[in-house]
Amino acid sequence: MLDFILASLIFTLLLPVLIVVSIGLCIANKGKPFFLQPRPGKNERIFQIIKFKTMTDQKDENGNLLSDAERLTAIGSFVRKTSLDEIPQLMNVLKGDMSLIGPRPLLVQYLPLYDEMQKRRHKVRPGITGWAQVNGRNTISWQQKFEYDVWYVDHLSLGLDLKILKWTLKKVLIREGISQEGKATMEVFKGNN
């Protein structure tokens, strides 16, 4: 209930930003301001995550998508650096697919790669931000990220959620941990081998 109330309030406050960013991305992405993708939620139930589309669909001569860095638009880069690309996920929170705080929902293709410890991240609803995000976000290793996610599951409390929310605001303001050094996004998880 608290997620729903806070998400409604934040969504209402950020609606003007949502509209302006949507128009800019609509222009940059030929009428497609949003990005929908299946992600695993609580108990690995699949849902469609909603994010701002920060990259184009440009392909090479063989029909393969260009690298993330080549497809990232100027407005997309700004939207990522300011973490505005996460705003549409408030709709996922309102629908009950996500929470404000929890392990970030990762790609469906990673599910078979998890070991038993890593799978425990799916015992709670995924979040827009979480313990791993305030402790390094995309600059930490996959192993560390999973350890933080499972630690959060084991220590879940309102006090911890409020602490994560406070730290998230600070991290967003100083734009820390957005991407790995030398990369436009986080490298792909390839399992534990």
Side-chain angles (χ1 to χ4, degrees):
M1 185 57 119
L2 190 57
D3 272 336
F4 185 84
I5 293 167
L6 284 175
S8 299
L9 179 64
I10 295 167
F11 188 83
T12 303
L13 291 172
L14 294 178
L15 192 57
V17 175
L18 185 74
I19 292 168
V20 170
V21 172
S22 294
I23 292 168
L25 289 172
C26 200
I27 294 165
N29 294 318
K30 299 178 182 168
K32 298 178 185 173
F34 297 104
F35 172 73
L36 298 162
Q37 186 177 53
R39 297 285 176 100
K42 185 176 179 182
N43 300 319
E44 299 182 4
R45 185 183 67 78
I46 308 300
F47 70 97
Q48 293 289 322
I49 196 169
I50 307 163
K51 294 183 81 170
F52 276 130
K53 186 175 173 71
T54 57
M55 293 187 280
T56 67
D57 295 322
Q58 286 180 292
K59 297 180 178 169
D60 63 19
E61 61 277 354
N62 299 319
N64 300 313
L65 283 174
L66 296 176
S67 72
D68 289 351
E70 292 173 296
R71 295 184 300 125
L72 189 61
T73 63
I75 188 171
S77 178
F78 170 77
V79 167
R80 279 190 178 202
K81 285 179 184 170
T82 55
S83 296
L84 293 172
D85 58 325
E86 310 296 347
I87 294 174
Q89 290 169 63
L90 290 168
M91 291 183 263
N92 288 118
V93 175
L94 294 172
K95 287 172 52 185
D97 295 327
M98 293 177 66
S99 182
L100 290 173
I101 314 293
R104 288 291 299 146
L106 301 175
L107 299 175
V108 172
Q109 69 222 41
Y110 295 168
L111 286 173
L113 303 176
Y114 296 148
D115 62 27
E116 289 307 309
M117 183 273 292
Q118 293 164 346
K119 285 181 183 181
R120 294 185 51 230
R121 67 191 313 280
H122 295 289
K123 290 189 174 211
V124 298
R125 277 189 295 170
I128 294 176
T129 187
W131 190 238
Q133 282 61 51
V134 298
N135 283 291
R137 198 172 176 181
N138 288 328
T139 62
I140 58 176
S141 70
W142 278 109
Q143 185 59 35
Q144 186 65 65
K145 191 176 291 210
F146 290 129
E147 287 172 11
Y148 283 139
D149 287 345
V150 172
W151 185 91
Y152 172 81
V153 170
D154 292 340
H155 296 87
L156 186 64
S157 71
L158 179 59
L160 179 58
D161 282 359
L162 292 174
K163 184 183 204 179
I164 292 169
L165 199 54
K166 181 178 93 173
W167 286 5
T168 296
L169 293 173
K170 179 183 172 196
K171 299 272 182 183
V172 167
L173 289 174
I174 61 174
R175 299 179 186 178
E176 185 178 271
I178 308 252
S179 60
Q180 286 183 320
E181 192 159 330
K183 296 189 182 279
T185 56
M186 178 80 178
E187 77 175 302
V188 173
F189 177 61
K190 297 178 179 138
N192 301 299
N193 298 331

